[in-house]
Amino acid sequence: MSRILVIAGTDSSGGAGLSRDVAMATTLGCAVAPVVTAVTVQTNAAVIAIRPIDPDLVAAQIRAAFDSKDTAPKAVKIGMLGTPEIAQAVARSLPLSLPVVLDPVLKSTSGGQLMPVAALAPLLRHVTLLTPNLAESALLSDSAETQDRQQLQVQARRLLALGPKAVLIKGGHGDGPCATDHLFHATGHQALSCPRLARGKRGTGCSLATAVACRLALGDELTTACHTAKNALFRWLKT
């Protein structure tokens, strides 16, 4: 069984974070080596408390995951980091040879602020795929939130200049009959669409990024991994 390293926070409600990461990875036939960055107390409506883990302990968890070559992860997914110090510890500890998917968790769906934008900077040069939603793409590129494809391309160019090899701007929080994600990379652009469902769920960002990391660990190239991950997310949202 392929194994991925998931660096993220816990969510006491089970609706997001490592709980969702493990659930999605399991459906795709991957095991998870979890690295806890923060313990959060949440409900579906609010973030009640956040306790970040010591950065040295976060780094130690990453090192331990690679101690055995037989079970070493083949891809990395990064979610909630919590503090700039944890982000720096992760950046120093990541192996350079693996694909890395970064879901830039800046706020929770229930409204709590989870990470300052500038704290992600040390990580971006390690990232294979950055997966912001529309609001996160606007914040990270210092521009207005939009669904316009040309404006998203401008945002993507700014984000790619920060270091990631590719950017997947997710359209799930937008409007219209289709939820369209836009994959931008050095050689082009692909639009990934599915029908927009009447209701959403918490943990969609966690789930999609984890699904991409799983498919990369299983040997997919990036565009195929993103397509397959979006289909897996759509199936989960329909249940």
Side-chain angles (χ1 to χ4, degrees), residues 22-220:
V22 171
M24 177 56 79
T26 300
T27 67
L28 294 175
C30 285
V32 168
V35 172
V36 180
T37 58
V39 175
T40 75
V41 182
Q42 298 189 54
T43 67
N44 287 333
V47 176
I48 298 166
I50 300 173
R51 293 293 182 270
I53 302 298
D54 182 273
D56 289 340
L57 187 57
V58 173
Q61 292 177 80
I62 296 172
R63 289 194 299 272
F66 292 96
D67 275 350
S68 173
K69 291 184 179 180
D70 292 339
T71 59
K74 296 182 179 178
V76 179
K77 180 268 174 129
I78 303 173
M80 177 189 174
L81 290 164
T83 68
E85 292 76 17
I86 291 174
Q88 291 166 5
V90 170
R92 290 193 300 267
S93 304
L94 282 179
L96 300 178
S97 58
L98 294 182
V100 176
V101 181
L102 173 59
D103 179 24
V105 182
L106 304 175
K107 291 184 179 181
S108 72
T109 303
S110 53
Q113 182 75 34
L114 300 177
M115 187 71 175
V117 172
L120 293 178
L123 276 168
L124 292 177
R125 60 190 175 88
H126 298 286
V127 170
T128 305
L129 179 69
L130 181 68
T131 65
N133 60 32
L134 295 173
E136 290 162 346
S137 181
L139 280 170
L140 290 167
S141 63
D142 193 24
S143 53
E145 186 173 338
T146 181
Q147 287 183 248
D148 179 77
R149 176 174 162 177
Q150 289 185 328
Q151 292 304 310
L152 290 176
Q153 189 168 17
V154 172
Q155 291 183 4
R157 282 200 296 266
R158 293 179 183 177
L159 296 178
L160 289 169
L162 298 176
K165 294 180 178 65
V167 178
L168 182 68
I169 302 178
K170 302 173 294 189
H173 291 179
D175 52 29
C178 291
T180 301
D181 301 343
H182 293 273
L183 177 62
F184 296 96
H185 45 82
T187 58
H189 161 264
Q190 287 83 35
L192 293 68
S193 291
C194 65
R196 188 178 299 280
L197 299 172
R199 66 180 180 87
K201 294 180 180 179
R202 292 180 59 225
T204 54
C206 307
S207 298
L208 181 65
T210 294
V212 175
C214 286
R215 294 309 311 177
L216 292 174
L218 291 166
D220 285 358

